[in-house]
């Protein structure tokens, strides 16, 4: 990002615990500590206090909770703003930026508690204009694709930068080379064009010949998680009420951590993704939470504020 002129938070990289700790003490809080490697979306620790930062660094570099992913850490400036997820489909030459989505990463409502892989999403995000998406396309996606092509590795697939929208413009927090989870569940509810046709066009380098069509309105996805998530969770807990929940208009449920052994049971941290569409964001939110009332498994936890901040910032 530095080399390509893509706007990101100022950061330092450390491979030694003592040096990282020293820097954190000099810098002060708030501050963000990130395991540098792949950590299932759980490697970023936004820390409001020095004590939180010390604990995060110890978890990553001394307790090795993310294993080798924590051999190196990034210590970044804490950026205030609204987080959005961008998904750009790329065929190596052309890219198409999808409507913005918004994940809710912390385990508890109001941005509290540990970061998770994502507890719920909305698509599109009110206030993220076509003009902003055009800027994102030009200032981030195209610059990165051009840099990758120049280095001999043209990118084909889904490029997913996570951005912070700040008063001073957007800053990239991370890049993924995959679809977001649970962003994709919301996208699937609004996508009119067949996803397979889009992916084929990416592979065949024919994205410029395709116009992606969308249903109007909004989609919301709420993740139902097991007790203990994002830490260790008990598995094989019976799940009830899915058919009843899917009778609520506009609702479809995607399975994530489930297994069918005589009956439907849990088999992971994020168990089900309940999605709903609506003409308005509020209608989609109402439907998703109405559906969730029918679903039960012991220890089930979920956020009750998905999409609420987008309506009442
Ligand atoms: N929703 C966050 C991720 O897919 O990384």
């Amino acid at each position: 990002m530095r080399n390509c002129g893509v706007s990101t938070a100022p950061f330092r990289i450390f491979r030694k615990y003592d040096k990282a700790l020293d820097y954190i003490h000099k810098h002060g809080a708030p501050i963000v500590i990130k395991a540098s490697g792949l950590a299932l979306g759980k490697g970023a620790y936004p820390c409001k206090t020095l004590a939180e930062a010390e604990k995060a660094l110890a978890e990553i570099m001394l307790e090795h909770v993310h294993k080798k992913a924590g051999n190196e850490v990034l210590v970044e400036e804490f950026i205030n703003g609204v987080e959005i997820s961008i998904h750009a489909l790329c065929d190596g030459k052309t890219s198409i930026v999808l409507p913005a989505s918004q994940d809710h990463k912390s385990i508890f409502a109001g941005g509290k508690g540990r970061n998770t892989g994502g507890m719920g999403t909305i698509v599109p995000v009110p206030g993220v204009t076509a003009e902003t998406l055009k800027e994102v396309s030009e200032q981030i996606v195209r610059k990165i694709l051009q840099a990758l092509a120049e280095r001999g590795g043209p990118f084909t697939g889904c490029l997913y930068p996570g951005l912070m929208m700040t008063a001073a413009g957007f800053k990239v927090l991370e890049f993924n080379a995959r679809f977001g989870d649970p962003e994709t569940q919301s996208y699937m509810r609004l996508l009119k064009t067949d996803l397979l046709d889009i992916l084929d066009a990416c592979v065949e380098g024919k994205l410029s010949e395709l116009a992606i069509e969308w249903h109007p309105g909004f989609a919301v996805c709420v993740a139902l998680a097991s007790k203990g998530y994002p830490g260790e969770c008990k598995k094989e807990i019976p799940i009830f009420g899915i058919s009843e929940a899917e009778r609520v208009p506009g609702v479809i449920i995607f399975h994530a951590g489930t297994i069918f052994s005589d009956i439907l049971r849990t088999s992971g941290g994020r168990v089900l993704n309940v999605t709903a569409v609506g003409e308005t964001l509020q209608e989609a939110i109402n439907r998703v939470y109405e559906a969730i009332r029918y679903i039960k498994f012991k220890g089930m936890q979920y956020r009750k504020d998905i999409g609420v901040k987008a309506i009442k910032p």
Side-chain angles (χ1 to χ4, degrees):
M1 285 193 268
R2 258 185 201 155
N3 293 347
C4 304
V6 169
S7 177
T8 187
F11 65 92
R12 294 275 305 267
I13 299 171
F14 296 95
R15 293 187 66 83
K16 296 230 159 37
Y17 169 78
D18 291 343
K19 291 216 161 124
L21 187 65
D22 216 34
Y23 177 75
I24 290 167
H25 283 154
K26 279 193 197 118
H27 184 284
I31 197 163
V32 179
I33 320 283
K34 290 177 170 176
S36 183
L38 293 173
L40 299 172
K42 297 173 198 160
Y45 297 70
C47 304
K48 297 212 172 74
T49 63
L50 261 186
E52 279 177 42
E54 284 167 0
K55 187 164 176 281
L57 188 68
E59 248 184 50
I60 299 170
M61 295 198 100
L62 300 181
E63 294 158 34
H64 306 289
V65 296
H66 305 295
K67 307 206 169 77
K68 281 189 188 156
N71 285 354
E72 183 177 271
V73 292
L74 267 82
V75 183
E76 269 186 12
E77 208 157 277
F78 188 100
I79 297 185
N80 272 312
V82 176
E83 207 174 330
I84 60 167
S85 304
I86 296 295
H87 287 63
L89 291 160
C90 314
D91 70 0
K93 305 183 291 279
T94 309
S95 57
I96 298 179
V97 174
L98 309 188
S101 53
Q102 187 163 54
D103 195 3
H104 298 64
K105 293 256 173 60
S106 58
I107 183 73
F108 301 128
K112 300 213 167 68
R114 282 177 63 188
N115 248 17
T116 68
M119 294 301 289
T121 51
I122 58 166
V123 173
V125 184
V128 178
T129 60
E131 203 176 291
T132 306
L133 288 178
K134 188 162 173 259
E135 219 177 301
V136 165
S137 173
E138 281 161 12
Q139 299 299 321
I140 301 172
V141 177
R142 280 193 208 156
K143 281 186 181 175
I144 292 292
L145 292 181
Q146 191 183 337
L148 292 173
E150 280 167 10
R151 286 166 191 220
F155 179 77
T156 300
C158 182
L159 187 68
Y160 152 23
L163 310 189
M164 191 67 94
M165 314 284 296
T166 75
F170 45 73
K171 293 202 184 290
V172 180
L173 301 178
E174 59 170 358
F175 276 102
N176 300 285
R178 58 170 173 83
F179 283 93
D181 174 7
E183 285 89 339
T184 308
Q185 292 86 325
S186 287
Y187 280 130
M188 290 305 104
R189 299 304 317 279
L190 293 179
L191 188 64
K192 205 170 182 183
T193 308
D194 193 319
L195 180 64
L196 188 58
D197 291 340
I198 302 172
L199 299 182
D200 264 345
C202 288
V203 172
E204 287 165 11
K206 292 184 176 164
L207 213 44
S208 59
E209 295 169 23
L210 196 83
I212 300 183
E213 289 188 90
W214 296 89
H215 294 289
F218 290 83
V220 175
C221 172
V222 176
L224 305 184
S226 300
K227 186 175 175 190
Y229 180 76
E232 285 295 306
C233 312
K234 262 198 181 164
K235 292 182 182 168
E236 306 237 338
I237 296 175
I239 303 169
F240 304 100
I242 291 191
S243 325
E244 290 83 351
E246 281 197 321
R247 275 187 216 124
V248 175
V251 167
I252 289 180
I253 296 166
F254 293 86
H255 289 237
T258 62
I259 188 169
F260 200 83
S261 63
D262 68 327
I263 55 165
L264 191 70
R265 294 171 187 273
T266 65
S267 75
R270 285 181 295 173
V271 175
L272 295 166
N273 296 116
V274 184
T275 66
V277 289
E279 273 177 37
T280 61
L281 180 55
Q282 187 63 62
E283 184 178 45
I285 293 172
N286 293 348
R287 286 171 162 181
V288 93
Y289 285 110
E290 189 189 336
I292 288 170
R293 282 177 31 216
Y294 292 99
I295 303 174
K296 296 200 170 33
F297 58 87
K298 208 166 160 218
M300 178 173 114
Q301 57 164 337
Y302 61 95
R303 278 183 58 163
K304 298 184 178 67
D305 65 338
I306 303 301
V308 169
K309 227 165 95 180
I311 291 178
K312 293 184 205 140

Coordinates of all heavy atoms in Angstrom, one line a residue, residues 4 11 61 66 163 171 190 266 272 288 305 311:
C4 N 2.3 1.7 -3.4 CA 1.3 2.1 -4.5 C 0.6 3.4 -4.2 O -0.3 3.8 -5.0 CB 0.2 1.0 -4.6 SG 0.8 -0.6 -4.9
F11 N 1.9 2.6 10.3 CA 2.2 1.4 11.0 C 3.6 1.1 11.1 O 4.5 1.6 10.4 CB 1.5 0.2 10.3 CG 2.1 -0.1 8.9 CD1 3.1 -1.0 8.8 CD2 1.6 0.6 7.8 CE1 3.7 -1.3 7.5 CE2 2.2 0.3 6.5 CZ 3.2 -0.6 6.4
M61 N 2.3 -12.7 20.8 CA 3.7 -13.1 20.7 C 4.3 -14.0 21.8 O 5.3 -14.6 21.6 CB 4.5 -11.8 20.6 CG 4.2 -10.9 19.4 SD 5.5 -9.7 19.1 CE 6.4 -10.5 17.8
H66 N -2.3 -17.4 18.0 CA -2.5 -17.5 16.5 C -1.4 -18.3 15.8 O -1.2 -18.1 14.6 CB -2.7 -16.1 15.9 CG -3.7 -15.3 16.5 ND1 -5.1 -15.6 16.4 CD2 -3.7 -14.1 17.3 CE1 -5.8 -14.7 17.1 NE2 -4.9 -13.8 17.6
L163 N -12.2 -1.1 4.6 CA -11.9 0.4 4.7 C -12.4 1.0 6.0 O -13.5 0.6 6.5 CB -12.5 1.1 3.6 CG -12.4 0.7 2.1 CD1 -12.9 1.8 1.2 CD2 -10.9 0.4 1.8
K171 N -9.4 5.0 4.5 CA -8.1 4.4 4.7 C -8.3 2.9 4.7 O -9.3 2.4 5.3 CB -7.5 4.8 6.1 CG -7.1 6.2 6.2 CD -6.1 6.5 7.3 CE -5.8 8.0 7.4 NZ -5.1 8.5 6.3
L190 N -29.2 -10.1 -2.8 CA -29.5 -9.0 -3.7 C -29.0 -9.2 -5.1 O -29.5 -8.5 -6.0 CB -29.0 -7.7 -3.1 CG -29.6 -7.2 -1.8 CD1 -29.0 -5.9 -1.4 CD2 -31.1 -7.0 -1.9
T266 N -25.0 -28.2 16.1 CA -23.9 -27.2 15.9 C -22.6 -27.9 15.6 O -22.4 -29.0 16.1 CB -23.7 -26.3 17.1 OG1 -23.3 -27.1 18.2 CG2 -25.0 -25.6 17.5
L272 N -25.2 -20.4 12.2 CA -26.2 -20.1 11.1 C -26.1 -18.6 10.8 O -25.7 -17.8 11.6 CB -27.6 -20.4 11.6 CG -27.9 -21.8 12.0 CD1 -29.2 -21.9 12.7 CD2 -28.1 -22.7 10.7
V288 N -35.4 -10.1 9.9 CA -34.3 -11.0 10.3 C -34.5 -11.3 11.8 O -34.3 -12.4 12.2 CB -32.9 -10.4 10.0 CG1 -32.3 -9.6 11.1 CG2 -31.9 -11.4 9.5
D305 N -28.0 -5.6 17.3 CA -27.9 -4.3 16.8 C -27.3 -4.3 15.4 O -26.8 -3.2 14.9 CB -27.0 -3.4 17.7 CG -25.5 -3.9 17.7 OD1 -25.3 -5.1 17.4 OD2 -24.7 -3.1 18.0
I311 N -28.8 3.2 10.5 CA -30.0 3.9 10.5 C -30.0 5.1 11.4 O -30.4 6.2 11.1 CB -31.2 3.0 10.9 CG1 -31.4 1.9 9.8 CG2 -32.5 3.7 11.2 CD1 -32.5 0.9 10.1

